[in-house]
Every structure is written in structure tokens, then in C-alpha cells.
């Protein structure tokens, strides 16, 4: 799954008996921690100082500066840090393209990692609540959707497939042919496809990368079908991240460990995109997208270790 959530409901949901303290929060998350938390694969990230989160953890829940709701670290409805987490102490990440996140209406706000992307890359990320989403048809030649479907392609093949889309006559402004999804059009012969791949990627780098926006779906796997079958998303190039494994502690039973949380999917896509499409050395440019995620991972791991000793 692409869009499982980060936070336990005990992190952000209100309690009729009053605000929860941090110790209760950690204990509740500990119960959801998988056995795979033996090692920390996030420890090599080049992150900004998380001292501000350490201080906020010790002081407990705080108020959202906009809606005054009691939250831990940030407000998931206003997309801003709480009063104990000054905005100036939160890193800002500049992305090479725009990101739209389509959130299922039944996905609990307090359990979604999508808000991390909005907090850390506010200028490049937009979150929509389904069914209120944009019309993408006219820009299909420069947009892709992250989804592990039968027609999905790898990140390294994005440039070729988008250019093939244009060359095969997607007719973005022609109603007579725009209704035919790109993925159903006649395929180029394998040898020709292989021959032209490097030329297309090279051309993209010269003319400017054709991909301008990437779409992520924020929902549980069982909720995804309602969104992915929406006519506004038909015909979009679909990308699958096949080689990454999730570190998320709310992973759904029975699903492959390659189904990532939303923020993980965004991060790993950008790393692959940076290397495969931009063809530049990756030096941690997007690591801070996992600023909150990695902190919570370590917090939960430590809680589990303490419980084990007891």
C-alpha cells in the first residue's frame, strides 16, 4: 500500500478526560510496533536537529496556533506545528516537482503521514480530500500517479513513457481521442523501445524534465479502489516503487512490506527520481521529509525496548 498512516490515533485524537500525556502516547504506540524494529534503517539520514521535537515530547501536547486544538508536534487539520514546535526550527525541503496527495475521506486525519509532506515542503505539496480533486486530463503528458497496478512502470522509465505518450498522439485537447487511456494504446516493439529509451531520457534532460507533478493516494489498501477508478485519474501514467520496504509501525496484516506509508512513498520516489531521471548524485536533499517519521520511529523503538526489559 502506498498510503498507510504515521500517527497513532492516541497522538492526535481528543480525549474526553483531558489531554493525554506523552507517556501514555508512547505506551499506546508501543503496542503497534512490529518485530522488524530490531535495527534502525533510518539512522543514516541527513536530518536537521530534532532537539525541538525532543523538547516538545517532554512537555507533552500543546495547542495549535490556528484552531487551538490540543496536539502533539503538529496540527493535522491546519498543517502547522504546535506552539511548542516553532516553525523556524522545522526544516523546509524544496522538491523538484509538485506533489498532489489525494486523501480518502474515511482516512483518519490523525493517522495520516501525508501531513508531514505538507509541513516540510509547503510550497510544493497540496492535499485534497476525495472526491474534491483537480481535473488532470489536459496535463496527462506531464503527470504521473504512484500506484502498484498491472500497467505500472519503474521510475527510470518515466521519461520514455511520457514522451511516448506525447508522440503517440495523446490529443490532450481533442475529445475524440483523449478518452482513450494512454496505457491502452498500441505498444512500441520491445527492441525499438529499448533503443529509444536513452534518447528520450537525454532529450528530457535537455528540454527540461517533462514530468511536472506526481500524485499519491492517501488511504488504506481497501479504500484505494474507490479513488483509483475515478475517471479523472484514468489514462495517467502509473509508477510503482518495487524495491523499498516500509518501516511503518501500522503496516496492514497480509500486505507486502513493499507497501509504503505516504511519506515513505514520497521520499523514496524523489530519491529514485533524483538519481534515475535527473541523473544527479543523491546527497540527502530530501532526507528531511522523514524528519517527523524518523523521530517517531526511534521513539516507538525505544519504548518497545524499555517494555522488553520490564
Amino acid at each position: 500500500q502506498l498510503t498507510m498512516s504515521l500517527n497513532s490515533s492516541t497522538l492526535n485524537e481528543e480525549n474526553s478526560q483531558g489531554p493525554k500525556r506523552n507517556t501514555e502516547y508512547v505506551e499506546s504506540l508501543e503496542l503497534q510496533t512490529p518485530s522488524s524494529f530490531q535495527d534502525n534503517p533510518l539512522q543514516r539520514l541527513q536530518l536537521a536537529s530534532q532537539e525541538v521535537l525532543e523538547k516538545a515530547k517532554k512537555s507533552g501536547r500543546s495547542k495549535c496556533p490556528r484552531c487551538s486544538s490540543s496536539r502533539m508536534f503538529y496540527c493535522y487539520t491546519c498543517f502547522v506545528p504546535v506552539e511548542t514546535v516553532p516553525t523556524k526550527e522545522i526544516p523546509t525541503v524544496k522538491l523538484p516537482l509538485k506533489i498532489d496527495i489525494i486523501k480518502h475521506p474515511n482516512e483518519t486525519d490523525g493517522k495520516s503521514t501525508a501531513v508531514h509532506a505538507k509541513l516540510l515542503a509547503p510550497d510544493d505539496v497540496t492535499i485534497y480530500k476525495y472526491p474534491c480533486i483537480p481535473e488532470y486530463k489536459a496535463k496527462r503528458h506531464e503527470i504521473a500517479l504512484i500506484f502498484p497496478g498491472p500497467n505500472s512502470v519503474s521510475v527510470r522509465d518515466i521519461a520514455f513513457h511520457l514522451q511516448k505518450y506525447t508522440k503517440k498522439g495523446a490529443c490532450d485537447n481533442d475529445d475524440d481521442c483523449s478518452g482513450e487511456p494512454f496505457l491502452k494504446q498500441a505498444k512500441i516493439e520491445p527492441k525499438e523501445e529499448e533503443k529509444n529509451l536513452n534518447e528520450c531520457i537525454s532529450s528530457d534532460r535537455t528540454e527540461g524534465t517533462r514530468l511536472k507533478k506526481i500524485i499519491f493516494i492517501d488511504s488504506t489498501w481497501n479504500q484505494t479502489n474507490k479513488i483509483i477508478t475515478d475517471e479523472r485519474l484514468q489514462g495517467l501514467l502509473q509508477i510503482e516503487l518495487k524495491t523499498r520496504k516500509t518501516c511503518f509501525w501500522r503496516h496492514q496484516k497480509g500486505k507486502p512490506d513493499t507497501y509504503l506509508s505516504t511519506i515513505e512513498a514520497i521520499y523514496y520516489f524523489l530519491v529514485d527520481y533524483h538519481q534515475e531521471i535527473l541523473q544527479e548524485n543523491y546527497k540527502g536533499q530530501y532526507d528531511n521529509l522523514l524528519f517527523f517519521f524518523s523521530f517517531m520511529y526511534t521513539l516507538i523503538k525505544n519504548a518497545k525496548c524499555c517494555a522488553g526489559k520490564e
Side-chain angles (χ1 to χ4, degrees), residues 10 13-21 24 61 70:
T10 56
E13 295 299 325
E14 301 304 324
N15 189 299
S16 60
Q17 297 178 352
K20 290 181 178 292
R21 298 307 297 171
E24 295 175 311
R61 295 165 69 91
S70 176

Side-chain angles (χ1 to χ4, degrees), residues 5-198:
S5 313
L6 171 61
N7 301 323
S8 165
S9 58
T10 56
L11 170 61
N12 291 319
E13 295 299 325
E14 301 304 324
N15 189 299
S16 60
Q17 297 178 352
K20 290 181 178 292
R21 298 307 297 171
N22 185 65
T23 53
E24 295 175 311
Y25 163 59
V26 173
E27 289 172 356
S28 65
L29 284 182
E30 171 200 326
L31 299 177
Q32 303 179 54
T33 308
S35 57
S36 60
F37 272 33
Q38 298 299 320
D39 300 307
N40 186 353
L42 306 176
Q43 61 187 349
R44 295 184 181 180
L45 294 173
Q46 300 180 40
L47 299 172
S49 172
Q50 295 175 320
E51 183 179 358
V52 62
L53 300 182
E54 290 285 357
K55 292 180 179 179
K57 180 190 69 174
K58 293 178 181 178
S59 62
R61 295 165 69 91
S62 181
K63 288 184 178 181
C64 168
R66 294 186 182 176
C67 68
S68 297
S69 297
S70 176
R71 304 282 191 252
M72 179 68 80
F73 303 128
Y74 56 82
C75 179
Y76 52 79
T77 53
C78 299
F79 307 143
V80 295
V82 295
E83 293 178 347
T84 55
V85 182
T87 302
K88 63 181 181 180
E89 296 187 41
I90 299 299
T92 300
V93 184
K94 181 61 180 176
L95 307 184
L97 39 67
K98 299 299 182 181
I99 289 178
D100 281 2
I101 300 174
I102 301 176
K103 182 178 176 296
H104 192 281
N106 294 336
E107 179 72 0
T108 304
D109 290 339
K111 295 182 179 181
S112 173
T113 62
V115 62
H116 294 185
K118 183 62 178 176
L119 283 163
L120 298 165
D123 295 335
D124 298 316
V125 176
T126 303
I127 298 178
Y128 297 95
K129 180 171 288 190
Y130 188 83
C132 299
I133 65 174
E135 292 286 348
Y136 294 110
K137 184 170 68 172
K139 298 292 184 179
R140 285 184 303 171
H141 59 287
E142 57 187 34
I143 298 175
L145 170 67
I146 298 294
F147 186 76
N151 295 317
S152 297
V153 303
S154 65
V155 173
R156 73 178 301 272
D157 293 335
I158 290 176
F160 172 77
H161 282 279
L162 285 181
Q163 188 155 337
K164 181 173 67 173
Y165 181 107
T166 302
K167 286 185 175 182
K168 295 299 289 184
C171 302
D172 296 319
N173 298 319
D174 188 339
D175 291 338
D176 291 336
C177 64
S178 62
E180 179 66 16
F182 155 58
L183 294 173
K184 292 183 178 180
Q185 295 179 21
K187 295 182 179 179
I188 295 177
E189 291 299 320
K191 290 184 178 180
E192 181 182 351
E193 184 167 331
E194 182 178 354
K195 177 180 177 182
N196 293 333
L197 178 57
N198 291 332

Side-chain angles (χ1 to χ4, degrees), residues 170-236:
C171 302
D172 296 319
N173 298 319
D174 188 339
D175 291 338
D176 291 336
C177 64
S178 62
E180 179 66 16
F182 155 58
L183 294 173
K184 292 183 178 180
Q185 295 179 21
K187 295 182 179 179
I188 295 177
E189 291 299 320
K191 290 184 178 180
E192 181 182 351
E193 184 167 331
E194 182 178 354
K195 177 180 177 182
N196 293 333
L197 178 57
N198 291 332
E199 295 178 5
C200 292
I201 294 178
S202 177
S203 175
D204 261 7
R205 291 203 306 272
T206 302
E207 301 174 9
T209 305
R210 293 184 181 279
L211 183 65
K212 295 183 179 180
K213 179 175 290 186
I214 193 77
I215 302 170
F216 293 83
I217 297 175
D218 186 41
S219 72
T220 62
W221 178 253
N222 292 333
Q223 295 170 340
T224 301
N225 188 63
K226 181 177 180 180
I227 297 178
I228 198 62
T229 55
D230 189 289
E231 61 179 9
R232 290 168 291 184
L233 299 180
Q234 301 311 300
L236 293 177

